[in-house]
């Protein structure tokens, strides 16, 4: 079986990815890396005979080179990243080190050890924002226009990957996913934060009127799309990933309150700490769907699964 190295498996998306890939018996052996910034991350790690986990920092050249020499992965999925926009506004340097330097270190190792392919996991935030509901969705050829240090660092990572392809022949794919939600997501994100507030009877803080529109994708659908790219992705292509389910933040909050049967009285409008959040994200997914992928979870189904998981795993909120 192919050996795949995944970075960032202590995080939300790739802790779910490992579980899905192993459970569905995809024909890969996995090795993975996470620097475990907080000990609570260890609750995410999924140990299995088909998965070997290493503690380490992707920006540590010696560690990464040693790991590549020892394990000799066939394919690399680079998902490790600092991903909080608010945190990036407070300390952009952390994001440059992890998301740009870390990507360069991974790319260098991929070139040195001649991996078959690198899949770089990016974000739809590299496109910037759409200013109205009538603007067309972004395609993979839309210009990059990042508006904060986080999205700028992810866009820079994309350029590092593409430059290595031109300079050294590195084969790659890039994924740009919309907002993910689901089990094991950290409580600074909208959906788990709202569920936690309802459970603990604390204010649900809404920036402004909560009219910011996002394109919501259940995390296992994103994982399924990456697996499709692993199997059928065309060389050196970029793929948008989304379930194409746009909804404003306030609508998402209200739907969660409806599902939990309470919480509407906790909704509290506050001043946007960033001054102005991006208004709308929306991506065209024709390209990924041409590979045979399609989302399995509607937004109502995904929200039900999400609410049920957090209600049944209250320990998560003690992270």
């Amino acid at each position: 079986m192919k050996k795949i190295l995944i970075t960032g498996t202590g995080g939300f998306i790739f802790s779910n990815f490992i579980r899905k890939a192993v459970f569905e018996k995809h024909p890969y052996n996995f090795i993975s890396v996470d620097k475990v910034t907080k000990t609570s991350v260890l609750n995410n790690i999924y140990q299995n005979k088909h998965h070997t986990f290493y503690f380490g920092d992707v920006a540590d050249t010696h560690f990464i080179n040693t790991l590549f020499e020892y394990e000799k992965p066939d394919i690399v999925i680079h998902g490790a990243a600092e991903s909080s926009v608010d945190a990036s506004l407070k300390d952009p340097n952390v994001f440059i080190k992890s998301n740009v330097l870390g990507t360069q270190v991974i790319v260098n190792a991929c070139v040195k050890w001649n991996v078959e392919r690198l899949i770089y996991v990016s974000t739809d935030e590299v496109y910037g924002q759409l200013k109205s509901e009538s603007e067309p969705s972004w395609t993979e050829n839309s210009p990059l226009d990042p508006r904060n240090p986080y999205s700028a660092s992810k866009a820079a990572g994309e350029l590092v990957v593409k430059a290595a392809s031109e300079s050294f022949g590195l084969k790659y794919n890039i994924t740009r996913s919309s907002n993910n939600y689901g089990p094991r997501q950290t409580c600074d994100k909208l959906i788990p934060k709202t569920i936690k507030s309802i459970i603990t009877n604390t204010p649900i803080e809404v920036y402004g009127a909560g009219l910011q529109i996002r394109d919501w994708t259940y995390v296992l659908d994103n994982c399924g799309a990456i697996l499709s790219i692993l199997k059928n992705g065309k060389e050196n292509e970029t793929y948008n990933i989304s379930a194409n389910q746009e909804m404003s933040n306030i609508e998402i909050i209200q739907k969660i309150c409806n599902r939990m049967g309470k919480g509407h009285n906790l909704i509290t409008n506050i001043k946007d700490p960033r001054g102005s959040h991006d208004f709308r994200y929306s991506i065209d997914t024709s390209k990924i769907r041409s590979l045979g992928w399609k989302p399995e979870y509607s937004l109502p189904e995904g929200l039900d699964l999400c609410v049920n998981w957090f209600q049944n795993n209250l320990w998560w909120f003690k992270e």
Side-chain angles (χ1 to χ4, degrees), residues 38-317:
K38 299 184 293 183
T39 56
S40 60
V41 169
L42 294 172
N43 293 321
N44 277 358
I45 306 302
Y46 182 62
Q47 291 288 9
N48 182 275
K49 66 180 180 180
H50 294 296
H51 174 221
T52 303
F53 174 75
Y54 292 89
F55 290 91
D57 187 344
V58 294
D60 183 335
T61 299
H62 174 71
F63 166 70
I64 291 298
N65 276 328
T66 302
L67 179 63
F68 271 69
E69 182 171 13
Y70 180 67
E71 290 285 2
K72 296 180 174 58
D74 299 298
I75 298 169
V76 175
I77 302 176
H78 181 39
E82 297 289 341
S83 60
S84 168
V85 173
D86 289 339
S88 77
L89 295 172
K90 295 175 182 177
D91 190 356
N93 288 0
V94 172
F95 286 71
I96 297 302
K97 179 182 178 182
S98 181
N99 300 357
V100 184
L101 176 59
T103 299
Q104 186 67 68
V105 169
I106 291 292
V107 164
N108 291 346
C110 288
V111 171
K112 180 178 180 180
W113 298 102
N114 195 30
V115 301
E116 294 177 14
R117 186 171 28 144
L118 168 65
I119 297 178
Y120 174 79
V121 179
S122 191
T123 170
D124 64 351
E125 292 192 43
V126 298
Y127 293 119
Q129 71 166 335
L130 297 170
K131 296 181 180 180
S132 75
E133 295 184 51
S134 60
E135 282 192 69
S137 301
W138 294 304
T139 71
E140 289 82 357
N141 294 322
S142 297
L144 304 189
D145 187 24
R147 287 166 43 86
N148 55 66
Y150 160 61
S151 56
S153 69
K154 293 302 292 181
E158 290 192 22
L159 296 180
V160 164
V161 171
K162 290 183 176 182
S165 178
E166 294 293 333
S167 299
F168 308 112
L170 176 68
K171 296 180 177 62
Y172 72 88
N173 290 118
I174 293 171
T175 72
R176 296 174 183 150
S177 173
S178 69
N179 279 41
N180 279 212
Y181 68 100
R184 301 177 184 84
Q185 190 169 30
T186 55
C187 296
D188 60 324
K189 304 301 183 182
L190 179 66
I191 290 175
K193 186 177 181 181
T194 299
I195 295 169
K196 180 179 180 181
S197 292
I198 294 171
I199 289 172
T200 58
N201 198 38
T202 54
I204 303 169
E205 296 182 342
V206 180
Y207 295 158
L211 300 180
Q212 306 89 347
I213 298 171
R214 299 294 180 261
D215 200 347
W216 296 93
T217 302
Y218 192 65
V219 63
L220 293 183
D221 278 334
N222 186 21
C223 296
I226 295 170
L227 286 164
S228 291
I229 292 168
L230 262 176
K231 184 178 180 181
N232 299 315
K234 296 180 181 179
E235 185 177 304
N236 299 349
E237 291 287 345
T238 298
Y239 293 94
N240 287 338
I241 300 172
S242 174
N244 300 122
Q245 300 178 110
E246 293 184 41
M247 192 166 291
S248 69
N249 288 348
I250 188 63
E251 288 177 295
I252 288 286
I253 291 170
Q254 289 169 341
K255 286 184 178 297
I256 294 170
C257 291
N258 290 341
R259 277 164 170 73
M260 297 181 70
K262 58 182 176 179
H264 291 280
N265 62 311
L266 299 173
I267 297 174
T268 305
N269 299 93
I270 63 170
K271 184 178 179 180
D272 190 334
R274 300 182 206 167
S276 176
H277 269 61
D278 294 341
F279 174 65
R280 175 176 170 240
Y281 302 157
S282 178
I283 52 180
D284 183 291
T285 57
S286 302
K287 195 172 180 182
I288 183 70
R289 290 173 188 259
S290 71
L291 299 183
W293 172 86
K294 62 180 180 180
E296 296 180 12
Y297 300 89
S298 68
L299 188 56
E301 290 171 329
L303 285 178
D304 283 342
L305 289 168
C306 196
V307 167
N308 290 340
W309 189 89
F310 284 108
Q311 285 181 321
N312 291 325
N313 293 274
L314 297 179
W315 57 270
W316 183 260
F317 296 130

